[in-house]
Amino acid sequence: MNARFLRRGALFGALALVAFGLAIVAAACNGDDDDDTGTTPIPVATVGKLTILDPWVRTTTNDVTAAYFTVKNSGPADTLVSVKTSISPMAQIHEMVTSGATSSMQEMPNGLDVPANGEVTLKPGGYHVMVMNVKSALKEGDSVDLELTFKNAGTVKLTAHVQKGEAMSGMDMGK
Amino acid sequence: MKFTVRGAVPIALLGLVAVAVVAGAIALGMAVFGGSDDGGKAEYMGAVTSRPVEMPDATLTDQDGKPFNLKQESEGYVTLLYVGYTHCPDICPTHLYNISESLKKLPKDVSSKVKVVFVTADPERDTPEVLKDYLKTFDPNFIGLTGTREQTDTFQEDLGVSVATRTDLGGGNYAVNHAAYVIAFTKDEVAYTVYPAGMGIPEWLNDLPLLVKKGFKPA
């Protein structure tokens, strides 16, 4: 009992480190685009002052997957309120929240804010569109239609490619 | 009921996270930048646990339906342990993909000494067959463990992580809230480093050779 308690204490200690580590990671990933190494994502769609970049959907192993993309905004603040796709009747905007030692996904019922003259990125371990009850298997090279609706800018349709994981091209592997 | 409470949680959590970040900054400063006689901790990119985590002595059921004793099977290997579920849309496939890609890039004398064990927190859906089909899409050598609800809950308690809970997503779907970091046990069956969301291929390429060849010597 006591040992178990101590071990949990250890992991919470670890999580404090983890929270700090993530803050560093977040800072590193949200730096100026000019500092990014690798290729520049290709814009695939625009609506109003919003540009959608680099959309992708993960290959499926069951009836659940996730969609990711970046929204760049050169205008006033907006909100992504819903996402639709023909591959599923159920797509929800989620965020991952880490509390203590546990991470939970939570639906964002009020949508995802896109800051004025800024951008928001959906990526593994953060914001994502959870797609449930996927009708047929998705494999690498497939494409998926997405329909994003923003509160102010309206609706935009685009095509996302299917891949196994986050593209490595934007990361400098170094060694 | 639980659902409505959850909706109110994020703002409070932000505060908690802010506190954790500050606490983490102080702890990290001591743990990682604490000087040169730290036993080599600074070479690791993984998050160093403030206290080592012991591997639970547990026997669960593997992806072939056979009993699997974690401690026995881990002897002589580095074991990357992760508690997740196959209907996880985001973080589980991300970790598994990152590990599988890293193992492909690493030399055989490192990759052959690493076992990857995925323990389900959703045993109702994740039968041995489901685990097998899921894991082989990443790497057929990955091991999937399941059991009764009691067994998988007890395993998480013994590991020292919060036991997973469910969030209803509607339409018969549910998410499983679970520990979201990979725990790396060295050959002594003790873990000194963990790898949360946000850590991926660069961290594994750096740390796996160290974990295999050097182990981890606490200060």
Side-chain angles (χ1 to χ4, degrees), chain A residues 30-49:
Chain A
N30 291 338
D32 286 343
D33 287 332
D34 302 339
D35 293 339
D36 285 354
T37 51
T39 54
T40 306
I42 302 154
V44 296
T46 56
V47 56
K49 300 281 187 185

Side-chain angles (χ1 to χ4, degrees), chain A:
Chain A
M1 190 59 198
N2 204 19
R4 193 170 283 176
F5 177 78
L6 283 177
R7 254 178 285 157
R8 183 159 298 171
L11 272 181
F12 276 117
L15 257 289
L17 297 189
V18 163
F20 179 60
L22 285 184
I24 294 174
V25 170
C29 293
N30 291 338
D32 286 343
D33 287 332
D34 302 339
D35 293 339
D36 285 354
T37 51
T39 54
T40 306
I42 302 154
V44 296
T46 56
V47 56
K49 300 281 187 185
L50 303 176
T51 305
I52 317 302
L53 307 165
D54 207 20
W56 66 281
V57 174
R58 184 178 288 104
T59 52
T60 54
T61 52
N62 49 41
D63 65 349
V64 168
T65 189
Y68 305 92
F69 45 84
T70 293
V71 183
K72 259 195 169 149
N73 186 3
S74 61
D78 207 334
T79 304
L80 173 66
V81 287
S82 70
V83 177
K84 284 185 186 166
T85 170
S86 66
I87 63 166
S88 154
M90 249 186 121
Q92 295 176 352
I93 305 163
H94 281 201
E95 65 180 326
M96 202 176 82
V97 175
T98 300
S99 152
T102 302
S103 284
S104 318
M105 292 190 319
Q106 289 175 350
E107 190 183 0
M108 305 178 78
N110 299 319
L112 175 62
D113 289 338
V114 184
N117 298 305
E119 66 177 65
V120 63
T121 296
L122 291 81
K123 61 186 295 236
Y127 301 119
H128 57 272
V129 178
M130 181 174 180
V131 187
M132 288 160 273
N133 303 341
V134 178
K135 291 165 187 166
S136 56
L138 300 177
K139 54 186 192 305
E140 263 180 321
D142 287 350
S143 55
V144 170
D145 63 283
L146 296 177
E147 186 182 306
L148 316 185
T149 299
F150 295 90
K151 198 174 184 176
N152 301 324
T155 295
V156 59
K157 290 183 180 182
L158 53 102
T159 303
H161 55 277
V162 174
Q163 59 191 52
K164 281 187 83 174
E166 199 171 11
M168 297 301 296
S169 57
M171 288 183 177
D172 181 10
M173 286 297 99
K175 44 215 167 234

Side-chain angles (χ1 to χ4, degrees), chain A residues 3-12 14-15 101, chain B residues 49 51-58 60 70-71 79-84 117-121 145 151-164 178-185 189-191 193-194:
Chain A
R4 193 170 283 176
F5 177 78
L6 283 177
R7 254 178 285 157
R8 183 159 298 171
L11 272 181
F12 276 117
L15 257 289
Chain B
T49 57
R51 217 170 301 204
V53 181
E54 277 177 51
M55 181 181 281
D57 187 9
L60 294 165
L70 183 62
K71 270 181 166 275
T79 300
L80 305 182
L81 184 92
Y82 185 66
V83 177
V117 178
F118 180 87
V119 182
T120 184
L145 299 183
Q151 283 176 314
T152 58
D153 280 359
T154 303
F155 181 82
Q156 292 167 61
E157 274 182 40
D158 289 346
L159 193 60
V161 302
S162 303
V163 177
H178 60 96
Y181 45 89
V182 180
I183 303 173
F185 290 96
E189 305 196 333
V190 176
T193 54
V194 298

